[in-house]
Each structure stands twice: as C-alpha cells, then as structure tokens.
Amino acid sequence: MKIRVLGCHGSDHLIKDEGRGHECRSCAFLINETVLVDAGTVGGVLTLAEQRRLRHVLVSHLHFDHIKGLPTLADSLFDHDGRPLVIVSLAQVLKGLQSHVFNGEVYPDFMQLPNPDHPVFRLEAVEPGATVSCGDLRVTAIPVNHQVPTVGFIIDDGRSAIVCSGDTYATDELWKAAGCLRSIKAAFIEASFPNAMAEIARVSGHLTPSLFHREFEKIGRPEVKAYAYHLKPRYRDTLKRELSALPIPALTVLEEGQEITI
C-alpha cells in the first residue's frame, strides 16, 4: 500500500521558520493513486491527470477542512468522460454535502451534472461498522468521538492494513477493531492541540499528545507504526516536541509530501 501525504494539518497555513517557509495543508491522503482519504487538499497538489485517476474519496466527516477540495475537484472532472468519482461516507455526511455544499447555491449539484446519467460524483453511503470495496482496497468505517457524525477508517489491501482516526477525542471501537487485525501495520492518529489545551481538545473533540499515547495503546500492538497528523499549525512546534517525548518507538509526525509504503 502506497500512501502519499497531500496535507496533514488541521488547517492551511504558511509557517516561516528561519527564513524558510513550510506550507501546512488540510488533511488528505492519497492511497495507491486512486483512493483519497479526506479531501482537504486536492487540486493544489495533484495534477489534472492525477485527479482524473481518482476513483473513490473517503470522507470522514463534514467539517470544511476535510471536504474543501471537493468543489474544485468537481470542476477538474466536469468534462472528463470517465466513470463518476465515488464519494464514500456515512449517510448523514453525504446528505450534508448535498444540502450545504452541492446545493445549487454554494456550488452546483455535481451529483446531477453534467447529466443525471453521467454525473461527476456518485454517493455511496456506508453503514457504521460496515466494510465496502474501493477498487482493490477493503474499507471499514467505524464511528469515532467528534462534534459531528464522524468515522475513522480501517483500510486493507489484503496483505497489510492501516487505521486512520479521522478527527476524534478519546474513542474505543476503532482501536479495538484495528487491534484484532493481524495485518495492521500503521495507525494514523490525529493530535490537534498541545497538552496545556486539554480542555479545548475535549470540548472540540480532538486529541492532545498525552491522549494520542493513550489511544495508541488501546490498539495493543506496540510494533505498529504510529503517524501523528492534524496538528494545528499555530501549535506545530509545541506539538512536535510533546509528541517526540512520547514512549512510542515508531512514531512519526507527518509532513506534507511524504510518501509511505506499508
């Protein structure tokens, strides 16, 4: 399984560090060139040809930083004569996309355009805990603990599996399911706020580095590689220090542009 990090922060932000700039981008992971996990960053990184190779988009929840690449992606695919791009998520999330984004006012309804028989997007609702096929991948959507209906994903290619938390506070079902898989190799877990902001993290439904550690331990597989993402850019340096101090041997704080093979 090949994973390309298009964006891995909790918002978009240009950080200037010692005269150099680091562009923090909203979350999106490209898997095997055809499956996108969240769509916070798409057209700003992928070429038109790369966008047209996409076959599925897994949307964890409706918050804007996880869907904001979809409208411009629709523009890129509008005149493409390939198959519709399938957006996979909870029914509540898909309904929100139709009601609040692709509603003919904020943005055109690309579930009907350019024509109902050949739209840009096709929606596929997944039941909580259910598994669907996305090309060669098997994807299981498991509810997590956030402000709005949200799922984390377990993604399995038949040889290896990864778990991606989505936005979440402390949760259990996702880690239990991941820990039961012998093929689990990596855990992508959010860490949005520093430890000193634990109350804000709780209220907003996010993790701190201390909570990151507790959540990772719930998997019960210390050999699994841990990847931290969704860092809020303004707290990035503090978060990196606190995460690096955790007793997790195989912990990596993700950066834009990384390519990971599982």
Side-chain angles (χ1 to χ4, degrees):
M1 191 184 310
K2 294 184 178 180
I3 303 163
R4 180 177 167 191
V5 182
L6 308 184
C8 56
H9 284 84
S11 64
D12 297 318
H13 195 78
L14 180 62
I15 296 176
K16 291 188 177 181
D17 182 17
E18 297 180 355
R20 297 169 298 184
H22 179 87
E23 184 182 0
C24 299
R25 296 190 293 262
S26 298
C27 293
F29 303 127
L30 180 64
I31 301 182
N32 292 351
E33 298 185 345
T34 62
V35 175
L36 199 63
V37 181
D38 279 328
T41 298
V42 185
V45 177
L46 296 182
T47 66
L48 180 59
E50 289 171 331
Q51 292 176 63
R52 289 180 169 179
R53 282 199 287 270
L54 294 172
R55 298 268 45 94
H56 294 84
V57 182
L58 311 178
V59 178
S60 63
H61 66 298
L62 197 58
H63 280 165
F64 187 65
D65 58 317
H66 293 259
I67 64 167
K68 66 185 181 67
L70 290 176
T72 51
L73 177 60
D75 281 341
S76 296
L77 302 180
F78 184 75
D79 62 350
H80 183 42
D81 59 2
R83 294 168 291 173
L85 179 60
V86 181
I87 301 177
V88 180
S89 191
L90 296 173
Q92 301 101 304
V93 175
L94 301 180
K95 182 179 179 181
L97 284 175
Q98 291 181 296
S99 299
H100 304 304
V101 182
F102 299 106
N103 57 7
E105 296 182 4
V106 174
Y107 227 75
D109 183 358
F110 284 106
M111 290 75 170
Q112 298 294 320
L113 295 173
N115 65 73
D117 294 327
H118 189 76
V120 172
F121 293 143
R122 180 170 66 81
L123 304 182
E124 181 175 339
V126 59
E127 293 291 329
T131 300
V132 296
S133 294
C134 296
D136 294 332
L137 302 175
R138 298 280 289 169
V139 177
T140 304
I142 298 179
V144 294
N145 184 11
H146 195 40
Q147 288 181 316
V148 296
T150 305
V151 289
F153 296 108
I154 295 176
I155 302 169
D156 194 329
D157 67 1
R159 298 176 299 276
S160 302
I162 66 170
V163 56
C164 186
S165 72
D167 286 9
T168 188
Y169 189 60
T171 193
D172 293 312
E173 185 179 357
L174 179 66
W175 311 128
K176 181 178 179 180
C180 289
L181 287 176
R182 295 185 63 182
S183 60
I184 198 76
K185 303 296 184 192
F188 293 74
I189 304 175
E190 74 122 282
S192 298
F193 293 104
N195 291 326
M197 300 179 71
E199 180 58 17
I200 292 176
R202 183 190 68 79
V203 172
S204 61
H206 288 292
L207 298 177
T208 64
S210 290
L211 289 170
F212 179 105
H213 183 215
R214 293 184 200 174
E215 298 303 288
F216 177 75
E217 286 193 318
K218 291 177 183 178
I219 300 173
R221 303 280 293 279
E223 76 280 6
V224 167
K225 293 181 179 179
Y227 295 94
Y229 77 103
H230 204 270
L231 282 67
K232 295 293 185 181
R234 64 183 296 185
Y235 309 119
R236 182 169 175 263
D237 289 343
T238 301
L239 284 163
K240 289 177 70 174
R241 285 196 302 270
E242 293 180 351
L243 287 162
S244 66
L246 296 177
I248 301 175
L251 171 60
T252 299
V253 177
L254 287 180
E255 298 282 1
E256 279 76 13
Q258 279 186 267
E259 296 186 5
I260 301 164
T261 300
I262 303 296

